[in-house]
Amino acid sequence: MSNLSTSRFVLTGFPGLEVYYFFFAIPFSTIYAMVFLGNCMILHVIRTESSLHQPMFYFLAMLALTDLCMGLSTVHTVLGILWGFLQEISLDACIAQSYFIHGLSFMESSVLLAMSFDRYIAICNPLRYSSILTNDRILKIGVAILCRSSMLIPPVIIRLKFLNYCRPHFLSHSFCLHQDLIRMACSDIRFNSFYALSLVICTLLLDAVLILASYVMILHTVLSIASREERIKSLQTCVSHISAVLVFYIPIIGLTMVHRFGKHLSPLVQVLMGNIYILFPPLMNPIIYSIKTQQIRV
């Protein structure tokens, strides 16, 4: 196949289950509706309720906005396949979608790291909390997260445009990922492979290590509190964030394992893990914070 921007790539829904797509389309449409409504609700409540104009909730708003954008970046291909009005995607559209999916994943990781910093300051240095996390500083953190997530990816994404895709143009998912596109390329992909690996190490892996380190210090501080009630109260403020971290990192680890070591697995497993990766965090985060955060729940 030629390396033209007019090249088309076949999206994969649920292989072998095409006759049941209508039955998949209804629950998937419901999930997307819940993603949009849940995250819009979080953003609306934080914007309109003055008591929530605090650092913790500003970071939560960033998380909700990221999840909302993740839903918007994949809804047209995922539901397009299931409702039967989309089977293929152009190279340009595929590259654009992969940019947003990977960029938003890095953004979510960065926001979760900022939220762990917020919890660390709140528990380990409560007297200086308001002086450290000022509105101006939160704005700078937000800009830094946006720059980090959007400006590190273009070198590897832009190069996808110039690769020669000679292998069958069948994607593994109902959306586009960088690792899926380079799998079909016959060009030299060493730069893409090494740069992408470096990017994952310097963002997702580094963020995970720093989040873990912050919770080690939080736990050390909490265990030094004499009162059992105060210890429990302090840890309860972290439950929502810990849940959000697990909801984000477990699907990413699962999808990575399937792509690296699951060549012998059924294509359905890859499709299932891919859908969990893009839908589970945006779906669960509003539910987690609505249930576990008293101010949001009220």
Side-chain angles (χ1 to χ4, degrees):
M1 295 227 180
S2 62
N3 180 38
L4 299 174
S5 60
T6 52
S7 294
R8 311 290 295 181
F9 292 85
V10 179
L11 296 157
T12 299
F14 291 90
L17 300 175
E18 287 80 5
V19 294
Y20 302 107
Y21 275 8
F22 175 77
F23 299 103
F24 287 115
I26 294 172
F28 270 82
S29 298
T30 304
I31 288 170
Y32 269 105
M34 291 173 66
V35 167
F36 296 140
L37 291 173
N39 287 289
C40 284
M41 179 202 73
I42 293 286
L43 289 168
H44 174 72
V45 169
I46 292 172
R47 187 180 70 85
T48 56
E49 185 58 54
S50 57
S51 65
L52 300 182
H53 294 174
Q54 304 171 29
M56 173 184 171
F57 297 105
Y58 290 144
F59 289 129
L60 177 56
M62 293 180 199
L63 187 68
L65 186 61
T66 304
D67 286 337
L68 189 61
C69 291
M70 179 65 90
L72 290 171
S73 68
T74 58
V75 62
H76 63 291
T77 54
V78 174
L79 294 187
I81 288 177
L82 296 178
W83 286 112
F85 57 80
L86 184 70
Q87 282 81 41
E88 296 180 337
I89 187 170
S90 69
L91 177 61
D92 289 343
C94 198
I95 290 172
Q97 188 181 50
S98 67
Y99 170 78
F100 284 109
I101 289 175
H102 293 298
L104 290 166
S105 291
F106 293 152
M107 188 176 291
E108 181 138 353
S109 176
S110 301
V111 172
L112 289 170
L113 175 60
M115 294 173 87
S116 73
F117 176 68
D118 168 81
R119 291 298 83 208
Y120 168 74
I121 299 297
I123 292 173
C124 299
N125 207 344
L127 297 179
R128 296 188 59 205
Y129 181 75
S130 57
S131 63
I132 293 174
L133 288 175
T134 61
N135 288 346
D136 183 55
R137 197 158 285 162
I138 290 168
L139 180 61
K140 288 178 180 176
I141 291 172
V143 171
I145 288 172
L146 185 62
C147 291
R148 182 195 194 212
S149 306
S150 60
M151 295 174 69
L152 292 176
I153 300 177
V156 75
I157 293 295
I158 290 171
R159 197 165 184 280
L160 291 173
K161 175 76 173 173
F162 304 101
L163 296 178
N164 179 32
Y165 300 97
C166 63
R167 295 191 176 93
H169 289 198
F170 290 95
L171 298 167
S172 303
H173 305 285
S174 50
F175 48 87
C176 297
L177 295 174
H178 170 265
Q179 58 265 39
D180 226 5
L181 282 169
I182 63 171
R183 180 178 54 83
M184 291 177 280
C186 296
S187 311
D188 185 356
I189 59 169
R190 283 177 296 179
F191 172 78
N192 283 66
S193 297
F194 288 131
Y195 189 95
L197 180 62
S198 302
L199 210 54
V200 169
I201 292 171
C202 295
T203 53
L204 299 179
L205 186 59
L206 178 61
D207 291 352
V209 170
L210 292 175
I211 289 170
L212 181 62
S214 70
Y215 273 101
V216 169
M217 291 186 283
I218 286 171
L219 191 61
H220 180 265
T221 301
V222 169
L223 292 176
S224 66
I225 299 173
S227 169
R228 183 173 180 273
E229 289 74 18
E230 286 298 317
R231 287 201 298 270
I232 293 172
K233 186 179 177 181
S234 296
L235 286 174
Q236 280 179 339
T237 65
C238 301
V239 170
S240 300
H241 179 253
I242 293 170
S243 302
V245 169
L246 293 175
V247 158
F248 174 71
Y249 277 101
I250 289 174
I252 282 188
I253 294 167
L255 184 64
T256 303
M257 291 296 108
V258 166
H259 270 282
R260 290 286 180 185
F261 310 111
K263 300 291 188 293
H264 63 286
L265 295 174
S266 164
L268 277 172
V269 177
Q270 286 196 15
V271 170
L272 182 62
M273 287 306 304
N275 284 311
I276 290 173
Y277 161 65
I278 60 164
L279 284 174
F280 196 56
L283 174 67
M284 292 305 298
N285 285 336
I287 296 172
I288 289 167
Y289 278 94
S290 296
I291 293 172
K292 294 292 184 182
T293 308
Q294 185 180 359
Q295 296 95 319
I296 296 284
R297 189 168 66 246
V298 170

